[in-house]
Amino acid sequence: MLGLLWRAVFLLLLLVAPVAARAEGRLVDFEIASRRFDGNQAGVTAIRKAIAYLPDGYEAGRRRYPVVYFLPNLFDDQRAIFDRDGAKAVLDRAIAEGTVPPLILVSADFSTPAGSSFYATSPVTGDWTGFLAQDLVAAVDGRFRTLPRPDSRGLLGDRMGGYGAIRTAMLAPGVFGAVYALHPVGTGVGLQTMNSRPNFERLAAAKSLDDLGDDGFSRVFLGMYQAFLPHPGKPPFHVDFPASGRGASLATDPVLTARLQNAFLLDRLLPAHASELKALRGLMFDWGRFDGNADHVVANRAFAGLLEELGVANEAEEYRGWWGERHWTQGGRVETRALPFFGRALAYEEK
């Protein structure tokens, strides 16, 4: 009888122990007040929201950690990967299983009223490059136990955030040490002209953002124009449009279109900033082969080739995937590709 009792207790402990031993990190919401948005004409608030994932054991010791800064996709805020996609569980599991050493992950809100800042600096929407590379990094280093040096900072971005990660590494050198871009957009021209996407007739007639309704393309491209074709003092949106009309009546302004391409597309920026990317400890990006917008596939293939032409070491991968899939899932690309990459590319020890 006593033997049966001990056997039952032992089995109960086996069932309870894994739950009790499960390591979990903690999420901390915080805000950053930035002067980078003083005088902006798009209605961007100077108080930016952010959230930090702190690994299990953070509170118990004095250890310092590397930081990966996550840059969200269009229309996502700082909490989307946690509230919608389950990023905390992915990070908990990856650290517990040794996929990546313990690290801090920070996600901030980079949205504007039109949808996205495009991670650019503009007199209309503010200095987003400075906010990310200086204000946010300084706030995180001041608030948390980080390893405050470039080789312990990574940039991870999803789609438009992937674009922002590569762009920031080019334009703010010496701040981040490694970049992983998930399915980046804006790496180069595709099969369709950019001017064929927005509804310029609706944009020209609109008096406010409300007039664009649920026209997603027009909203996205308005944000792009505010970032790269700003015209302060030209209401209501303070931009120049690179075309007018629509369909067969589309009339393109070649000067403004070239200005937009040269300011926005990463392949146009790369020749002048290849040395900044060469200085990284690691650069990796990927894209889904079955993206419904073939422009992204064509542009990313060409961008990978251009990096090689300019001698920029990189890992580029085309996988069996599509545009809308979520990457913060069990066995998803963050867990299987991005986190192991940062495990290799970042420095985890104090000097």
Side-chain angles (χ1 to χ4, degrees):
M1 182 68 181
L2 188 60
L4 290 174
L5 180 61
W6 278 113
R7 214 171 299 154
V9 171
F10 179 71
L11 289 174
L12 182 61
L13 288 174
L14 285 180
L15 291 172
V16 173
V19 176
R22 184 176 60 191
E24 290 195 14
R26 183 167 69 94
L27 299 180
V28 177
D29 291 289
F30 62 104
E31 295 180 342
I32 306 102
S34 176
R35 302 300 301 272
R36 306 282 174 181
F37 310 107
D38 287 358
N40 82 84
Q41 297 186 305
V44 174
T45 176
I47 306 298
R48 309 309 304 175
K49 294 182 178 180
I51 184 171
Y53 167 89
L54 304 179
D56 178 65
Y58 177 88
E59 289 82 2
R62 297 182 178 179
R63 177 178 179 177
R64 291 185 172 271
Y65 300 88
V67 182
V68 171
Y69 291 84
F70 177 76
L71 308 187
N73 188 26
L74 292 162
F75 303 116
D76 280 353
D77 64 14
Q78 77 285 357
R79 290 197 61 99
I81 59 168
F82 296 105
D83 295 343
R84 181 192 63 207
D85 300 336
K88 180 180 177 297
V90 171
L91 291 165
D92 285 342
R93 183 171 54 251
I95 292 172
E97 295 179 355
T99 301
V100 66
L103 53 72
I104 295 171
L105 185 134
V106 172
S107 175
D109 181 10
F110 290 89
S111 67
T112 70
S116 175
S117 65
F118 287 81
Y119 301 92
T121 294
S122 162
V124 172
T125 58
D127 178 8
W128 291 95
T129 303
F131 168 72
L132 169 57
Q134 298 181 47
D135 297 0
L136 181 59
V137 167
V140 170
D141 285 344
R143 185 181 185 110
F144 304 108
R145 292 199 316 278
T146 69
L147 291 167
R149 59 180 192 268
D151 58 3
S152 296
R153 296 192 193 106
L155 284 171
L156 170 62
D158 185 9
R159 286 163 276 205
M160 185 52 68
Y163 166 88
I166 299 173
R167 179 185 180 88
T168 302
M170 288 183 182
L171 300 182
V175 179
F176 304 97
V179 172
Y180 194 115
L182 296 153
H183 207 122
V185 300
T187 52
V189 295
L191 301 173
Q192 293 181 277
T193 64
M194 286 195 294
N195 288 345
S196 68
R197 297 299 175 83
N199 185 335
F200 286 106
E201 293 176 344
R202 190 167 186 176
L203 284 168
K207 304 301 181 185
S208 70
L209 285 172
D210 291 340
D211 292 335
L212 298 181
D214 60 354
D215 185 346
F217 266 134
S218 293
R219 282 180 172 269
V220 168
F221 277 85
L222 175 59
M224 182 186 295
Y225 304 146
Q226 288 181 330
F228 303 111
L229 290 178
H231 191 145
K234 184 180 179 180
F237 300 124
H238 310 285
V239 302
D240 288 319
F241 294 126
S244 60
R246 197 179 186 200
S249 65
L250 180 69
T252 293
D253 183 318
V255 173
L256 289 175
T257 298
R259 198 171 101 199
L260 172 63
Q261 291 177 336
N262 291 334
F264 169 54
L265 296 175
L266 294 181
D267 63 350
R268 307 298 173 88
L269 300 176
L270 181 57
H273 297 284
S275 60
E276 284 84 346
L277 296 186
K278 286 183 179 182
L280 293 171
R281 295 166 63 95
L283 170 62
M284 187 169 182
F285 65 107
D286 59 31
W287 61 93
R289 183 177 304 141
F290 304 119
D291 187 335
N293 183 347
D295 293 7
H296 301 153
V297 177
V298 170
N300 279 318
R301 288 174 179 170
F303 188 66
L306 182 58
L307 286 167
E308 296 295 341
E309 289 283 349
L310 296 178
V312 180
N314 69 94
E315 299 175 64
E317 182 179 1
E318 181 173 298
Y319 60 93
R320 293 179 59 83
W322 57 95
W323 169 259
E325 64 187 313
R326 300 298 179 193
H327 300 302
W328 287 95
T329 58
Q330 184 169 4
R333 296 196 68 80
V334 170
E335 187 169 358
T336 61
R337 293 292 193 273
L339 292 178
F341 165 80
F342 286 116
R344 300 189 303 269
L346 295 181
Y348 286 76
E349 302 296 331
E350 295 189 58
K351 291 182 178 178

